[in-house]
Amino acid sequence: MEVNIKYRKDNGDKLPDPTLYRQLVESLLYLTMTRPDISHAVQVVSQFVADPRRIHLSAVLRIMRYLWFTYYIGLLFSSNSSRQLRAYADADWARCPDTRRSTTGWCIFLGDSLISWKCKKQQTAFKSSTETKYRGISSACSEITWLRGFLQDLNILHRTPTPLYVDNMSVIRIASNPVFHDHTKHIEVDCHFICDKFLAGEVTLPYVTSQQQLADIFTKAMTHARHDYLVDKLMMFTQPQFEG
């Protein structure tokens, strides 16, 4: 998506017939199951299916053009990958111009293979970026807990904690130090949930710089160079039949 454009629900002229817009968005939502690189863009355009405008259709067509020129790339699931889970979680604070709600994004790898990801607008507007990121990390932690149990049912045991990489030191301090909970009662359930998982040794919260935060691609629009860098880190490569 274009970096400097804010898409609002009442911006521009209405479409005379929204049927095509809705059909395209429905197809794109289905495609996000195998193309995580378009998750954020599709999440944005899907918010306007009730009353789409011409500028929203232009955004959808931009996604379609991107897919046309990148139809040959796909997720790589390596047979030599390890069985260790690792995760990245992020949130973009107050990005929505209509509601000022934030966008949660996270991705989880099994070894080098991307197996789970999410991009979703949060249901509540928060007053600080720390609160927003903490809510996103709580969502990622729930998925990690489920995946660890699922892999255990497959006799793939995880005796070591799963690293959940975050780029906010305040979030790490809140999770690792229960004293902070008295100042965060508005997100108290999330605080206790993550703290319990941290103390139980199921997750760790190592710090990662914003430049190396892979979940960034699920939270905001970005430049071509940044987008291509993160797509490569998500292990999305040219399919063998298209090489050469």
Side-chain angles (χ1 to χ4, degrees), residues 15 17-29 45 48-52 57 60:
L15 293 176
D17 184 4
T19 302
L20 175 62
Y21 182 91
R22 292 166 180 168
Q23 290 175 340
L24 290 174
V25 171
E26 182 180 10
S27 299
L28 290 172
L29 284 169
V45 297
F48 309 111
V49 291
D51 186 22
L57 180 59
V60 170

Side-chain angles (χ1 to χ4, degrees), residues 178-190:
V179 174
F180 281 81
H181 291 175
D182 291 337
H183 305 286
T184 53
K185 290 184 178 180
H186 44 290
I187 51 171
E188 186 173 358
V189 175
D190 291 319

Side-chain angles (χ1 to χ4, degrees), residues 40 43 90-92 101-105 119-121 218-219:
H40 171 70
Q43 182 269 146
D90 197 12
D92 191 54
R101 295 180 185 177
S102 306
T103 302
T104 291
C119 172
K120 185 178 181 180
K121 188 163 70 172
F218 299 103
T219 63

Side-chain angles (χ1 to χ4, degrees), residues 150-177:
F150 176 71
L151 292 172
Q152 185 172 358
D153 291 340
L154 299 177
N155 293 322
I156 302 175
L157 302 179
H158 283 80
R159 295 185 175 87
T160 58
T162 298
L164 174 56
Y165 294 92
V166 297
D167 59 3
N168 187 299
M169 290 302 300
S170 297
V171 170
I172 297 175
R173 294 190 186 101
I174 292 173
S176 58
N177 188 352

Side-chain angles (χ1 to χ4, degrees), residues 86-142:
R86 61 187 173 95
Y88 297 80
D90 197 12
D92 191 54
W93 182 48
R95 174 66 61 171
C96 177
D98 291 317
T99 64
R100 287 304 171 189
R101 295 180 185 177
S102 306
T103 302
T104 291
W106 50 255
C107 55
I108 302 176
F109 294 80
L110 182 63
D112 294 327
S113 302
L114 180 64
I115 60 171
S116 183
W117 60 89
K118 186 173 187 177
C119 172
K120 185 178 181 180
K121 188 163 70 172
Q122 295 181 357
Q123 296 180 352
T124 305
F126 291 100
K127 293 183 178 181
S128 72
S129 59
T130 299
E131 300 171 52
T132 298
K133 289 180 181 290
Y134 212 89
R135 182 57 55 89
I137 291 171
S138 177
S139 175
C141 194
S142 297

Side-chain angles (χ1 to χ4, degrees), residues 198-213:
F198 183 85
L199 295 176
E202 294 186 26
V203 299
T204 59
L205 295 171
Y207 175 78
V208 65
T209 64
S210 297
Q211 184 65 24
Q212 299 297 322
Q213 176 56 269

